[in-house]
Amino acid sequence: MTYVIHCMYNHHMLLNLPLILETRRNHALEHATLHILARKYHNQSMAGHSNPTGFFLLGGFTTEDVSSAATEAMARLLSGESELAVHPGCGTNIATTALLAGTFAWAPLRGAKSTFWRVWLIPIAVVFAAFGYFLSKPLGPWLQKYITTEADLGAMQIVDIVPVRKGVHRVITK
């Protein structure tokens, strides 16, 4: 029991280290901003990348739209709309799906000593991969909510929004 409490304590301590916490908060703001931009740019591909000093947005957005969306996203997160921090297109979902499906598919094949047995085990590996895929669907958003994002932005402020080049904006926070 004390081991579980110790691990939970260390888990929260690690996630709240300054550079990690800042990245998680920017990741939440990035997702919320993308949710808001999706209302206007719903037929367009978009992406983002967060770090401790802000985030990049990729897509054919105007600087005014990015500014407006980021400001609205921050206000809505600060008012308690934490669900905006979770995004279906997040790399956490993609990584979780790939890792679980790949690991589960590999499991029945790892002990096979010959190619003959590996070929015969492929249908089982496919079933295992499907199980990993379906297991990843609730796990990815859970990991976003509790590990890779932090919807409580604290005293974060948007410092600047810089158009880097066509299709790329940098949102700088502190």
Side-chain angles (χ1 to χ4, degrees):
M1 180 67 174
T2 57
Y3 176 75
V4 171
I5 292 169
H6 181 72
C7 286
M8 289 172 59
Y9 174 75
N10 285 339
H11 159 81
H12 288 289
M13 201 167 90
L14 179 65
L15 292 178
N16 290 326
L17 287 171
L19 295 176
I20 294 172
L21 181 59
E22 291 159 3
T23 302
R24 292 175 62 226
R25 285 177 168 164
N26 281 317
H27 194 191
L29 183 58
E30 169 208 323
H31 283 178
T33 303
L34 287 170
H35 276 297
I36 292 162
L37 285 167
R39 292 187 313 220
K40 182 173 182 179
Y41 296 93
H42 58 277
N43 290 330
Q44 191 178 99
S45 63
M46 53 182 77
H49 174 76
S50 300
N51 59 47
T53 61
F55 57 94
F56 290 91
L57 291 177
L58 290 79
F61 318 120
T62 67
T63 304
E64 295 77 28
D65 285 342
V66 171
S67 178
S68 174
T71 302
E72 180 183 342
M74 178 170 273
R76 289 176 63 179
L77 285 171
L78 290 171
S79 73
E81 292 186 55
S82 60
E83 69 279 0
L84 290 172
V86 177
H87 196 281
C90 180
T92 302
N93 293 342
I94 297 165
T96 303
T97 300
L99 183 66
L100 283 179
T103 301
F104 278 54
W106 169 78
L109 300 174
R110 68 185 170 90
K113 302 268 189 249
S114 70
T115 304
F116 174 80
W117 280 110
R118 283 191 190 106
V119 170
W120 280 103
L121 288 172
I122 287 174
I124 294 170
V126 170
V127 170
F128 275 47
F131 178 70
Y133 171 82
F134 289 113
L135 186 63
S136 74
K137 293 308 162 196
L139 184 59
W142 183 90
L143 288 170
Q144 282 184 69
K145 183 175 181 179
Y146 295 106
I147 307 294
T148 64
T149 68
E150 175 54 65
D152 177 1
L153 301 181
M156 179 193 286
Q157 299 173 348
I158 297 171
V159 176
D160 200 6
I161 297 173
V162 180
V164 177
R165 66 173 184 264
K166 184 175 172 55
V168 181
H169 283 85
R170 171 93 169 112
V171 178
I172 301 168
T173 63
K174 72 170 185 171

